[in-house]
């Protein structure tokens, strides 16, 4: 009897130690997570990227233009420096946009978990703009600072942060789309290509027009297709703040269907939504030559990007697919 009790005691101690080790492991993982979830993108870094992408020298980044090619080379350089590799043979995913040869820029950060790396998260924004617009005071170049050098800056900045952190269990594609202004042609093309490759897409988070703050809202940004999934709730849970909310105007003007998230939603039937801060009252220069870098709020942009980082990291790390369609 004493021998049985001794064996039982040893077993209980072993189990308790084992559980304690697991608990400590989880605690350790959580503490590591909390330390790397703090983004450190600065307003100066945002301004530097914006100044390049929305410079007059790029001529408005029209489809098939030398300016768009220069923008792509800039993105490729940023990706290479932090170890974000091409997903295809090179960074360019080429296609024809109404007879004009153009491309998406696609960077790849492989997941660190042997199982979860087979699941993908896409972080995207469109790189192209309209080139020129109605002349104002001799200026015809539509620089597209808010639309969408701002969103592209978010993708580049998040790519650099995630590459530095190296904690993404899922694989991530960082995509700068071409020919969005021609009718979402770049995202339509890539969505079909990835569907044919049969990738396991978990979610897609797109950034569109985030250069200026919302007017009189409790949340920092809104998310399109708010009611289509629990993405907004999960983003706010992961960020521990009211980061994204519902904008009635976004639903009224069907913005969910009007950005690069939509083709992926149609092809994969998974949560694919856009984060934006253009609320129809806070910016007057949509497709206008005065959509200039001088109109952007770099402090706000850096803050929003940093605040999005915890959510993006958690989307790339959770053991299960917590974001689901409603």
């Amino acid at each position: 009897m004493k021998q049985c009790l001794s064996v039982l005691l040893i077993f209980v101690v072993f189990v308790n130690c084992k559980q304690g080790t697991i608990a400590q492991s989880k605690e350790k993982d959580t503490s590591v997570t909390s330390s790397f979830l703090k983004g450190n993108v600065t307003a100066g870094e945002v301004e530097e990227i914006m100044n390049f992408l929305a410079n007059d020298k790029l001529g408005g980044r029209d489809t098939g233009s030398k300016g768009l090619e220069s923008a792509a080379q800039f993105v490729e350089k940023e990706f290479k420096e932090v170890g974000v590799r091409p997903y295809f043979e090179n960074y360019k995913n080429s296609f024809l946009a109404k007879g004009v040869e153009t491309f998406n820029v696609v960077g790849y950060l492989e997941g660190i978990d042997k199982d979860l790396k087979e699941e993908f998260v896409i972080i995207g924004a469109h790189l192209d703009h309209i080139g020129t617009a109605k002349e104002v005071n001799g200026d015809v170049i539509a620089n597209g600072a808010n639309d969408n050098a701002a969103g592209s800056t978010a993708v580049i900045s998040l790519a650099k942060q995630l590459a530095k952190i190296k904690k993404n269990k899922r694989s991530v594609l960082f995509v700068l789309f071409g020919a969005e202004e021609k009718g979402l042609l770049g995202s339509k093309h890539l969505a079909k290509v990835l569907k044919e490759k049969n990738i396991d897409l978990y979610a897609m988070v797109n950034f569109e027009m985030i250069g200026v703050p919302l007017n009189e809202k409790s949340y920092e940004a809104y998310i399109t297709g708010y009611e289509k999934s629990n993405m907004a709730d999960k983003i706010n849970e992961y960020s521990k703040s009211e980061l994204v909310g519902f904008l009635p105007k976004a639903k009224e003007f069907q913005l969910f269907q009007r950005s690069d998230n939509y083709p992926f939603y149609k092809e994969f039937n998974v949560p694919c939504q856009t984060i934006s801060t253009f609320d129809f009252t806070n910016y007057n220069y949509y497709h206008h030559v005065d959509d200039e870098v001088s109109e952007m709020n770099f402090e706000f942009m850096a803050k929003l990007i940093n605040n999005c980082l915890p959510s993006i990291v958690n989307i790339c790390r959770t053991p299960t697919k917590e974001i689901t369609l409603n």
Side-chain angles (χ1 to χ4, degrees), residues 123 153-163 174 207 305 309 312:
I123 309 300
T153 297
V155 174
I156 295 167
S157 299
L158 288 168
K160 293 165 78 171
Q161 292 284 302
L162 265 70
F174 301 99
F207 289 88
I305 293 167
L309 182 64
I312 299 299

Side-chain angles (χ1 to χ4, degrees), residues 10-273:
I10 291 170
F11 175 75
V12 169
V13 170
F14 172 77
V15 169
N16 286 339
C17 288
K18 187 73 172 176
Q19 289 176 339
T21 301
I22 293 171
Q24 287 175 0
S25 176
K26 289 182 178 180
E27 184 180 347
K28 182 179 179 182
D29 187 62
T30 302
S31 64
V32 171
T33 300
S34 65
S35 68
F36 71 64
L37 288 187
K38 297 175 182 177
N40 58 7
V41 177
T42 67
E45 290 168 339
V46 168
E47 183 176 7
E48 183 178 354
I49 297 172
M50 289 290 291
N51 276 333
F52 185 91
L53 295 180
N55 193 288
D56 280 356
K57 292 180 180 178
L58 271 62
R61 307 187 309 281
D62 199 2
T63 299
S65 69
K66 291 182 179 179
L68 185 61
E69 175 64 32
S70 295
Q73 290 174 1
F74 175 84
V75 175
E76 291 175 14
K77 180 176 177 291
E78 294 289 298
F79 282 175
K80 284 178 183 176
E81 286 181 353
V82 295
V84 173
R85 310 196 322 257
Y87 180 66
F88 300 101
E89 288 186 10
N90 54 57
Y91 287 103
K92 288 191 177 70
N93 163 239
S94 299
F95 63 96
L96 287 178
K98 299 180 179 179
V100 177
E101 188 173 341
T102 190
F103 49 80
N104 302 307
V105 180
V106 186
Y108 171 54
L109 193 63
E110 186 178 20
I112 63 171
D113 184 276
K114 65 182 181 65
D115 297 319
L116 288 179
K117 72 177 182 179
E118 300 303 322
E119 299 176 9
F120 282 78
V121 175
I122 296 176
I123 309 300
H126 73 90
L127 186 62
D128 69 304
H129 194 51
I130 61 173
T132 59
K134 183 179 179 181
E135 182 266 337
V136 176
N137 297 325
D139 184 11
V140 297
I141 298 174
N143 298 86
N146 199 31
D147 184 18
N148 188 35
S152 297
T153 297
V155 174
I156 295 167
S157 299
L158 288 168
K160 293 165 78 171
Q161 292 284 302
L162 265 70
K164 180 181 177 182
I165 291 166
K166 292 184 175 64
K167 297 291 184 180
N168 56 296
K169 293 184 177 181
R170 294 183 173 87
S171 295
V172 188
L173 296 182
F174 301 99
V175 186
L176 286 306
F177 295 103
E180 187 269 357
E181 300 287 5
K182 305 296 184 187
L184 311 181
L185 299 185
S187 49
K188 287 177 181 177
H189 170 78
L190 184 61
K192 288 179 180 177
V193 168
L194 296 179
K195 185 68 173 179
E196 288 171 2
K197 288 174 70 68
N198 199 31
I199 74 161
D200 184 357
L201 180 62
Y202 169 30
M204 189 267 200
V205 181
N206 192 55
F207 289 88
E208 179 88 51
M209 300 179 70
I210 59 160
V212 294
L214 292 165
N215 277 335
E216 299 177 348
K217 304 291 190 299
S218 60
Y219 44 87
E220 289 185 55
Y222 64 88
I223 193 165
T224 65
Y226 182 92
E227 71 287 352
K228 293 187 179 296
S229 79
N230 66 341
M231 184 180 284
D233 290 338
K234 284 298 176 181
I235 285 177
N236 290 340
E237 176 187 325
Y238 297 152
S239 67
K240 296 182 172 62
S241 68
E242 191 180 9
L243 181 57
V244 295
F246 171 64
L247 185 76
K249 282 279 187 182
K251 185 173 182 178
E252 178 185 344
F253 285 89
Q254 298 183 321
L255 297 191
F256 175 72
Q257 292 96 322
R258 293 174 61 184
S259 195
D260 290 309
N261 61 284
Y262 190 59
F264 292 92
Y265 171 77
K266 286 185 67 178
E267 287 287 348
F268 289 90
N269 195 35
V270 298
C272 302
Q273 289 161 263

